[in-house]
Coordinates of all heavy atoms in Angstrom, one line a residue:
Chain A
H79 N 9.0 31.6 -8.7 CA 7.7 32.3 -8.8 C 6.7 31.9 -7.8 O 5.9 32.7 -7.4 CB 7.1 32.1 -10.2 CG 6.5 30.8 -10.4 ND1 7.2 29.7 -10.8 CD2 5.2 30.4 -10.3 CE1 6.3 28.7 -10.9 NE2 5.1 29.1 -10.6
R80 N 6.8 30.7 -7.3 CA 5.9 30.3 -6.2 C 6.2 31.0 -4.9 O 5.3 31.4 -4.2 CB 5.9 28.8 -6.0 CG 5.3 28.0 -7.2 CD 4.7 26.7 -6.7 NE 3.9 26.1 -7.7 CZ 4.1 25.0 -8.4 NH1 5.2 24.3 -8.0 NH2 3.3 24.6 -9.3
R158 N -33.1 16.2 -8.6 CA -31.9 16.7 -9.3 C -32.2 17.8 -10.3 O -31.3 18.5 -10.7 CB -31.2 15.5 -9.9 CG -30.4 14.7 -8.9 CD -30.2 13.3 -9.4 NE -30.1 13.1 -10.8 CZ -29.0 13.0 -11.5 NH1 -27.9 13.0 -10.9 NH2 -29.1 12.8 -12.8
G159 N -33.5 17.9 -10.7 CA -33.9 18.9 -11.7 C -34.3 20.2 -11.2 O -34.7 21.1 -11.9
Y171 N -41.6 26.8 4.0 CA -42.7 27.7 4.0 C -44.0 26.9 3.6 O -45.1 27.1 4.1 CB -42.5 28.8 2.9 CG -41.4 29.7 3.4 CD1 -40.2 29.7 2.7 CD2 -41.5 30.6 4.4 CE1 -39.1 30.6 3.0 CE2 -40.5 31.5 4.8 CZ -39.3 31.4 4.1 OH -38.3 32.3 4.5
Y210 N -29.0 12.6 -5.3 CA -27.7 12.5 -6.1 C -27.0 11.3 -5.8 O -26.4 10.6 -6.7 CB -26.8 13.8 -5.7 CG -27.3 15.0 -6.3 CD1 -28.2 15.9 -5.7 CD2 -26.9 15.4 -7.6 CE1 -28.6 17.0 -6.2 CE2 -27.4 16.5 -8.2 CZ -28.2 17.4 -7.5 OH -28.7 18.5 -8.1
K266 N -20.9 22.5 0.6 CA -21.1 23.8 -0.1 C -22.6 24.1 -0.1 O -23.0 25.2 -0.4 CB -20.5 23.8 -1.4 CG -19.0 23.6 -1.3 CD -18.2 24.0 -2.5 CE -18.7 23.3 -3.8 NZ -18.1 23.9 -5.0
Y280 N -22.7 30.3 8.2 CA -23.1 31.3 7.3 C -24.1 32.3 8.0 O -24.0 33.5 7.8 CB -23.7 30.7 6.1 CG -24.2 31.7 5.1 CD1 -23.4 32.3 4.1 CD2 -25.5 32.1 5.1 CE1 -23.8 33.2 3.2 CE2 -26.0 33.1 4.2 CZ -25.1 33.6 3.2 OH -25.6 34.5 2.3
Y294 N -16.3 43.4 3.6 CA -15.3 42.4 3.2 C -14.9 41.4 4.3 O -14.9 40.2 4.0 CB -14.0 43.1 2.8 CG -14.2 44.0 1.5 CD1 -14.4 45.4 1.7 CD2 -14.0 43.4 0.3 CE1 -14.5 46.1 0.5 CE2 -14.2 44.2 -0.8 CZ -14.4 45.6 -0.7 OH -14.5 46.3 -1.8
T308 N -13.2 22.3 3.4 CA -13.1 21.5 2.2 C -11.8 20.8 2.2 O -11.7 19.6 1.9 CB -13.2 22.4 1.0 OG1 -14.4 23.2 1.1 CG2 -13.2 21.6 -0.3
Chain B
D283 N -0.1 28.4 -12.2 CA -0.3 28.4 -10.8 C -1.5 29.3 -10.5 O -2.3 29.0 -9.6 CB 0.9 28.9 -10.0 CG 1.9 27.7 -9.9 OD1 1.6 26.6 -10.4 OD2 3.0 27.9 -9.2
R293 N -13.8 26.3 -6.4 CA -14.5 25.0 -6.2 C -14.5 24.6 -4.7 O -15.2 23.7 -4.4 CB -13.8 23.9 -7.0 CG -14.0 24.2 -8.5 CD -13.6 23.0 -9.4 NE -12.2 22.7 -9.1 CZ -11.6 21.6 -9.3 NH1 -12.3 20.6 -9.8 NH2 -10.3 21.4 -9.1
A294 N -13.8 25.3 -3.9 CA -13.8 25.0 -2.5 C -14.7 25.8 -1.7 O -15.0 25.5 -0.5 CB -12.4 25.1 -1.9
L302 N -22.2 36.1 -2.8 CA -22.2 37.3 -2.0 C -20.9 38.1 -2.1 O -21.0 39.4 -2.3 CB -22.3 36.9 -0.5 CG -23.7 36.6 0.0 CD1 -23.7 36.3 1.5 CD2 -24.6 37.8 -0.3
D310 N -18.8 46.9 -5.0 CA -18.2 47.9 -4.1 C -16.8 48.2 -4.5 O -16.4 49.4 -4.7 CB -18.2 47.4 -2.6 CG -17.7 48.4 -1.7 OD1 -18.1 49.5 -1.7 OD2 -16.8 48.0 -0.8
Y343 N -15.3 25.5 -13.2 CA -15.6 24.2 -13.4 C -15.4 23.8 -14.9 O -14.9 22.8 -15.3 CB -17.1 23.9 -13.1 CG -17.3 23.9 -11.6 CD1 -17.6 25.0 -10.9 CD2 -17.2 22.7 -10.9 CE1 -17.8 25.1 -9.5 CE2 -17.4 22.7 -9.5 CZ -17.7 23.9 -8.8 OH -17.9 23.9 -7.5
K399 N -29.6 25.8 -12.1 CA -30.1 25.7 -10.7 C -29.3 26.7 -9.9 O -29.9 27.2 -8.9 CB -29.8 24.3 -10.2 CG -30.9 23.3 -10.8 CD -30.7 22.0 -10.3 CE -29.6 21.3 -11.0 NZ -29.2 20.1 -10.3
A402 N -30.7 30.2 -8.9 CA -31.7 30.4 -7.8 C -31.0 31.0 -6.6 O -31.6 31.7 -5.8 CB -32.2 29.0 -7.4
R417 N -41.2 33.2 -4.3 CA -41.4 33.4 -2.8 C -42.2 34.6 -2.6 O -43.0 34.7 -1.6 CB -40.0 33.6 -2.2 CG -40.0 33.6 -0.7 CD -38.7 33.8 -0.1 NE -38.8 34.1 1.3 CZ -37.7 34.3 2.0 NH1 -36.5 34.3 1.5 NH2 -37.8 34.6 3.3
T441 N -34.9 21.5 -17.1 CA -33.9 20.4 -17.0 C -34.3 19.3 -18.0 O -33.4 18.8 -18.8 CB -34.0 19.8 -15.6 OG1 -33.7 20.8 -14.7 CG2 -33.0 18.7 -15.5

Side-chain angles (χ1 to χ4, degrees):
Chain A
H79 77 276
R80 286 208 169 119
R158 282 155 29 101
Y171 296 108
Y210 284 92
K266 298 200 301 171
Y280 178 86
Y294 294 97
T308 307
Chain B
D283 281 1
R293 293 187 305 155
L302 275 186
D310 185 46
Y343 290 89
K399 287 181 283 165
R417 189 180 166 182
T441 303

